[in-house]
Amino acid sequence: MVDIARPLFPWVGGKEKLAPYITQIFPPNVKQYLEPFGGSGSVLLSMAPVPGRLDIYNDLNAELSNLILCVKEKTNVLVKELRFLPIHSREVFDFYKDFLDHKEVTLRNIQEELEVLDDRTCFTAEQAAELRPILLERMELYDVQRAAAYYLRIRGSFNATTTSFAVKGMDLSRFLYLFFPAAERLRDVAIENKDAIQIIRERDGPNRLTYCDPPYFGAERSYDSRIAIKYHERLHRVLRNCQGPVVVSYNDHEYIRFLYKDFYILSFVRDNPMAKREGALYGELLMTNYDPTPFLADQLTLFSDLETEKLRLKLVHIPERAIITL
Ligand SMILES: C[S@@+](CC[C@H](N)C(=O)[O-])C[C@H]1O[C@@H](n2cnc3c(N)ncnc32)[C@H](O)[C@@H]1O
């Protein structure tokens, strides 16, 4: 299987290596593919586009979805911006962190300035017509600057957490070649910035596939949006009622196995990227609201025997009946 495009940056819980194993159980011929917890987009980027299928990327993190949107729609401007923004020191990293932290103020200012243009006691129609494109351009540029700053913040932080500065040399030009295939893959992808539950409710329907990769149970603090146990339960309730096929990723935890007992549950293990000890393994679960067994007959063998054995999906729970049939 050839990757269509690779993610542009590492991300906590990123699925780049696991993507082929996850997508092998996706039903084919769906008319929509939704990823409500998009992150670095590694799963979506690994999938070939299909004519007639609408692909949707969503993440609640506004900086992240702005970055993905700029990769898609302002690729060259963003790449240009990144070439001019080396980040080699703690001071520069902090500068970009501050820049992002004050985003609302600057954005609101431009928006308010645009509103003043419509006040005829301040500007004539001609003056407003002259000023509007200048302000709109500044606003657009601001999105790109924010995206570049956020990208640097991810690249400059420890384990891509965006909060702590990792002391490491960085030659960004090594990563710039990733931007163009990603932009090409994202060309017809809709980019959203909503709460996952909201977008699932809006977009679910027969023959519409939803792949959910929420913050893992117990690891919710790794992300800006702190979700609590109640959110995992609400998400399950919403997914349980979906009309379209649903696939969910989680860490292997007994509470998740219990919560998703009305789904099929598959388990596998992978190397633990966060562990300091070599050879440490991490248990993963994949839940489906449909019977995944037809997709398991020919499991992928991309790696050496040992690696393949670890990543082999094992059906560990069969519900009384499937929620939907394909
Ligand atoms: C495990 S990561 C997804 C990783 C992704 N599959 C990848 O390969 O990079 C979970 C993502 O969910 C996002 N998130 C957290 N709470 C959310 C919510 N309530 N709605 C939508 N996205 C949310 C986080 O910003 C994070 O990017």
Side-chain angles (χ1 to χ4, degrees):
M1 188 181 295
V2 179
D3 276 356
I4 303 305
R6 291 187 47 210
L8 302 171
F9 44 83
W11 193 243
V12 181
K15 296 289 182 291
E16 179 176 13
K17 194 170 170 194
L18 304 181
Y21 296 90
I22 295 169
T23 54
Q24 68 183 333
I25 60 164
F26 286 180
N29 309 324
V30 291
K31 63 180 187 204
Q32 179 185 281
Y33 173 69
L34 167 66
E35 246 189 82
F37 301 90
S40 65
S42 60
V43 177
L44 194 152
L45 290 172
S46 78
M47 294 165 66
V50 174
R53 184 188 73 202
L54 171 65
D55 293 340
I56 307 166
Y57 166 98
N58 176 75
D59 201 286
L60 186 62
N61 180 331
E63 296 307 330
L64 192 57
S65 52
N66 175 54
L67 172 55
I68 300 286
L69 190 65
C70 288
V71 170
K72 175 191 168 186
E73 293 189 353
K74 300 171 188 173
T75 325
N76 289 324
V77 194
L78 179 60
V79 165
K80 180 165 176 264
E81 187 75 28
L82 282 168
R83 277 191 206 281
F84 286 101
L85 288 176
I87 184 167
H88 296 307
S89 68
R90 173 83 231 181
E91 287 70 30
V92 185
F93 179 78
D94 286 343
F95 171 80
Y96 282 113
K97 204 160 172 253
D98 287 351
F99 177 82
L100 287 169
D101 288 343
H102 291 95
K103 63 183 187 287
E104 292 86 354
V105 178
T106 318
L107 265 183
R108 196 173 53 232
N109 287 349
I110 298 182
Q111 257 146 16
E112 281 170 4
E113 298 217 16
L114 276 168
E115 280 159 30
V116 177
L117 292 185
D118 293 327
D119 186 340
R120 287 290 154 264
T121 61
C122 298
F123 295 104
T124 65
E126 292 73 31
Q127 285 170 330
E130 213 170 300
L131 289 175
R132 192 177 307 281
I134 298 170
L135 280 177
L136 288 174
E137 196 188 323
R138 258 183 62 194
M139 209 161 152
E140 282 223 344
L141 193 63
Y142 187 71
D143 285 349
V144 174
Q145 287 174 343
R146 258 175 59 208
Y150 195 63
Y151 178 82
L152 289 174
R153 201 167 138 182
I154 299 171
R155 283 279 177 207
S157 62
F158 183 68
N159 273 344
T161 49
T162 75
T163 46
S164 58
F165 180 70
V167 183
K168 55 184 176 188
M170 229 197 322
D171 172 15
L172 278 184
S173 58
R174 284 193 297 135
F175 305 115
L176 291 179
Y177 74 96
L178 294 170
F179 280 66
F180 299 99
E184 175 61 22
R185 174 61 186 93
L186 293 171
R187 193 152 45 118
D188 295 321
V189 174
I191 315 287
E192 300 272 14
N193 172 220
K194 295 181 176 172
D195 175 70
I197 288 179
Q198 182 193 344
I199 197 160
I200 294 166
R201 285 205 173 109
E202 286 171 9
R203 299 289 192 156
D204 169 56
N207 209 19
R208 296 177 182 197
L209 170 63
T210 300
Y211 167 60
C212 282
D213 185 16
Y216 278 5
F217 186 70
E220 300 85 352
R221 286 181 163 271
S222 307
Y223 304 96
D224 281 351
S225 75
R226 306 269 157 87
I227 67 173
I229 188 163
K230 285 269 170 272
Y231 192 91
H232 295 295
E233 293 173 1
R234 276 179 60 216
L235 178 65
H236 166 261
R237 255 197 316 279
V238 170
L239 293 174
R240 197 223 171 287
N241 289 314
C242 279
Q243 296 176 48
V246 169
V247 179
V248 194
S249 278
Y250 262 111
N251 46 333
D252 194 347
H253 191 286
E254 64 183 309
Y255 176 73
I256 297 300
R257 286 190 184 220
F258 170 75
L259 186 63
Y260 279 84
K261 57 186 179 307
D262 44 1
F263 281 59
Y264 288 81
I265 305 181
L266 302 149
S267 82
F268 62 103
V269 287
R270 65 170 172 85
D271 295 326
N272 185 351
M274 306 290 261
K276 302 219 169 49
R277 190 168 47 85
E278 208 180 311
L281 296 177
Y282 193 80
E284 297 268 349
L285 297 176
L286 277 177
M287 271 71 64
T288 60
N289 65 349
Y290 56 89
D291 181 0
T293 44
F295 304 102
L296 297 176
D298 287 318
Q299 289 212 41
L300 289 178
T301 52
L302 290 181
F303 296 99
S304 68
D305 282 353
L306 185 64
E307 195 74 0
T308 303
E309 194 44 44
K310 275 192 291 190
L311 289 163
R312 189 177 294 283
L313 306 182
K314 298 182 188 76
L315 191 57
V316 291
H317 173 74
I318 300 176
E320 271 172 29
R321 58 188 165 81
I323 298 172
I324 68 157
T325 42
L326 295 177

